[in-house]
């Protein structure tokens, strides 16, 4: 039975290590993904829109397409989509832009972020399982010993109980902080993209009006 407890204890440690690695990996991927698809601030986005305004104002759609193709961030790609699909009309185009932003950008980020949230919830539970396992081992050593429980065995079981709980919390708390930071970055990105889409639609209205 002691061997079984030791094996399960090792499994708990391995599970916690894997959760920590997976949670950190997903958090880094999401953080980088958000950084890749957003402008760092409103001024940088304004510079891009001003340059796009100039090319569209001259009716130079080829140059506008080239400008957007070079930039893989969300708003330039949405601008590229709107230029390539300008025949569908401004009303439909505005709805499609938000749909594309939701499907191509936010859905991928939220999917990966959900894995981080899963690790945040799972790590303390795995740690709690190790705690229960350690306490079971400690009580078993008390119940089965005739001349008194072996202090070394009890200390090992209690150590397992405490370490797994601490590890679970040590994984969950930093990832929770990182998750909240990522959510703040996502909300800022949504606000910037919302402002950018509004400005883009106005630019497209003027450009399409001149081309008719």
């Amino acid at each position: 039975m002691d061997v079984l407890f030791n094996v399960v204890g090792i499994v708990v440690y391995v599970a916690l290590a894997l959760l920590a690695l997976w949670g950190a990996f997903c958090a880094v991927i999401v953080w980088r993904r958000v950084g890749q698809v957003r402008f760092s601030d409103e001024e940088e986005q304004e510079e891009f829109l001003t340059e796009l305004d100039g090319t569209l104002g001259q009716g130079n759609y080829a140059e506008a397409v080239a400008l957007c193709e070079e930039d893989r961030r969300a708003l330039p790609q949405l601008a590229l989509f709107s230029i390539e699909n300008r025949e569908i009309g401004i009303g439909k185009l505005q709805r499609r832009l938000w749909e594309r932003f939701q499907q191509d950008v936010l859905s991928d980020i939220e999917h990966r972020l959900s894995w981080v949230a899963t690790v945040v919830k799972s790590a303390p539970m795995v740690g709690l399982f190790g705690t229960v396992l350690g306490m079971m081992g400690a009580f078993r050593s008390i119940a089965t010993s005739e001349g008194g429980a072996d202090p070394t065995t009890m200390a090992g079981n209690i150590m397992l109980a405490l370490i797994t709980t601490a590890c679970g919390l040590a994984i969950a708390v930093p990832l929770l902080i990182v998750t909240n930071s990522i959510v703040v970055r996502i909300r800022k990105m949504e606000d910037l993209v919302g402002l950018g889409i509004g400005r883009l639609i106005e630019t497209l209205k003027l450009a399409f009006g001149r081309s008719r």
Side-chain angles (χ1 to χ4, degrees):
M1 185 63 70
D2 290 335
V3 174
L4 178 61
F5 274 103
N6 291 334
V7 170
V8 177
I10 293 173
V11 171
V12 171
Y13 286 132
V14 171
L16 287 170
L18 292 175
L19 283 172
L21 291 174
W22 180 245
F25 172 76
C26 290
V28 170
I29 292 298
V30 174
W31 188 277
R32 291 184 60 187
R33 175 64 174 160
V34 174
Q36 290 170 351
V37 300
R38 79 184 189 111
F39 287 97
S40 59
D41 52 42
E42 190 172 352
E43 291 182 1
E44 186 179 9
Q45 179 173 285
E46 189 65 24
E47 289 178 5
F48 165 77
L49 290 172
T50 300
E51 187 175 0
L52 184 64
D53 285 351
T55 57
L56 291 178
Q58 298 171 3
N60 193 342
Y61 291 107
E63 185 177 345
V65 168
L67 175 65
C68 296
E69 284 180 337
E70 295 174 357
D71 198 329
R72 304 308 300 175
R73 286 173 289 193
L75 187 61
Q77 291 303 303
L78 292 174
L80 176 62
F81 174 81
S82 64
I83 295 170
E84 293 177 342
N85 295 273
R86 55 186 180 273
E87 72 281 352
I88 67 176
I90 291 296
K92 290 183 179 179
L93 189 58
Q94 188 169 9
R95 292 193 297 271
R96 292 288 298 277
L97 287 177
W98 280 110
E99 290 173 359
R100 295 277 300 195
F101 178 60
Q102 180 67 41
Q103 294 173 1
D104 297 347
V105 180
L106 292 183
S107 60
D108 176 61
I109 292 174
E110 290 172 356
H111 171 71
R112 295 184 182 276
L113 194 60
S114 67
W115 278 110
V116 182
T118 299
V119 172
V120 169
K121 295 176 182 178
S122 300
M125 300 302 294
V126 175
L128 180 60
F129 175 74
T131 300
V132 173
L133 182 68
M135 297 309 296
M136 287 173 60
F139 286 126
R140 178 182 173 278
S141 64
I142 295 174
T144 56
S145 60
E146 296 180 357
D150 182 8
T152 303
T153 303
M154 286 190 62
N157 291 326
I158 294 174
M159 183 177 66
L160 171 65
L162 297 177
I163 289 178
T164 54
T165 300
C167 288
L169 294 175
I171 294 169
V173 172
L175 286 178
L176 182 61
I177 295 173
V178 172
T179 300
N180 289 336
S181 300
I182 292 173
V183 169
V184 171
R185 285 166 63 88
I186 292 173
R187 296 295 172 262
K188 289 182 178 179
M189 178 184 67
E190 288 180 320
D191 292 340
L192 274 178
V193 171
L195 291 173
I197 288 178
R199 167 80 179 276
L200 177 63
I201 291 298
E202 293 301 320
T203 299
L204 292 173
K205 284 181 180 178
L206 294 175
F208 297 166
R210 296 191 192 100
S211 63
R212 291 177 181 174

